[in-house]
Amino acid sequence: MQQIANWLKSLGLGEYAQRFAENCIDASVLRDLTDQDLEKIGIPLGHRKKMLRAIAELSGAVLTSPQAVTGANRQDTAERRQLTVMLCDLVGSTALSARLDPEDMRAVIDAYHAACAGIVATYDGFITDFRGDGI
């Protein structure tokens, strides 16, 4: 449940961690949540929308807990790892946003984010942030 609490805190919605815990909502059911589910546990409309958008952006990414990172595989010796950092931006999005309805543009951005997240997950990578049309 701590991973859900950390995720909610990263969204600025940490006050709902207790409600998620009380309703046994963990990472395995997070993607199955609907607006109605969140409403049933007493989350206001604006926060429900924010949560649902963040859930949609997970698209294949797995929430990890601090124990998973620092657990049995941790070594006390230093090691070198290759790190690749990439910034990805949707070309022509400004012009496209001028032609599309805002809801249609949001759908395009969501599909773009999902496609990029799927590719990144294929290579065991992770996305630190989605900002507008950038990843």
Side-chain angles (χ1 to χ4, degrees), residues 63-129:
L63 295 176
T64 57
S65 64
Q67 291 100 3
V69 175
T70 61
N73 292 335
R74 182 176 175 211
Q75 297 176 355
D76 290 332
T77 60
E79 65 178 271
R80 290 182 185 248
R81 294 184 183 184
Q82 180 176 348
L83 174 67
T84 303
V85 178
M86 178 178 80
L87 172 67
C88 190
D89 192 41
L90 183 62
V91 174
S93 65
T94 304
L96 188 60
S97 68
R99 293 192 332 244
L100 292 178
D101 178 75
E103 291 176 1
D104 294 336
M105 186 63 189
R106 181 78 246 165
V108 169
I109 296 292
D110 288 347
Y112 168 70
H113 285 168
C116 290
I119 292 168
V120 169
T122 301
Y123 294 97
D124 295 326
F126 65 94
I127 296 174
T128 59
D129 203 5

Side-chain angles (χ1 to χ4, degrees):
M1 291 296 174
Q2 187 60 40
Q3 59 189 347
I4 292 293
N6 291 340
W7 176 74
L8 286 167
K9 190 174 182 181
S10 75
L11 296 174
L13 301 171
E15 68 266 25
Y16 301 113
Q18 184 62 35
R19 291 185 197 178
F20 274 60
E22 290 167 355
N23 289 278
C24 301
I25 299 170
D26 61 14
S28 68
V29 297
L30 192 62
R31 286 183 193 84
D32 298 327
L33 291 177
T34 65
D35 186 58
Q36 293 80 16
D37 295 332
L38 294 173
E39 185 176 22
K40 276 184 193 175
I41 64 172
I43 298 178
L45 177 63
H47 290 170
R48 289 195 315 260
K49 296 298 182 184
K50 188 173 184 178
M51 283 180 196
L52 291 170
R53 186 177 312 123
I55 290 168
E57 289 175 354
L58 288 175
S59 62
V62 176
L63 295 176
T64 57
S65 64
Q67 291 100 3
V69 175
T70 61
N73 292 335
R74 182 176 175 211
Q75 297 176 355
D76 290 332
T77 60
E79 65 178 271
R80 290 182 185 248
R81 294 184 183 184
Q82 180 176 348
L83 174 67
T84 303
V85 178
M86 178 178 80
L87 172 67
C88 190
D89 192 41
L90 183 62
V91 174
S93 65
T94 304
L96 188 60
S97 68
R99 293 192 332 244
L100 292 178
D101 178 75
E103 291 176 1
D104 294 336
M105 186 63 189
R106 181 78 246 165
V108 169
I109 296 292
D110 288 347
Y112 168 70
H113 285 168
C116 290
I119 292 168
V120 169
T122 301
Y123 294 97
D124 295 326
F126 65 94
I127 296 174
T128 59
D129 203 5
F130 293 95
R131 294 202 183 246
D133 68 339
I135 298 174

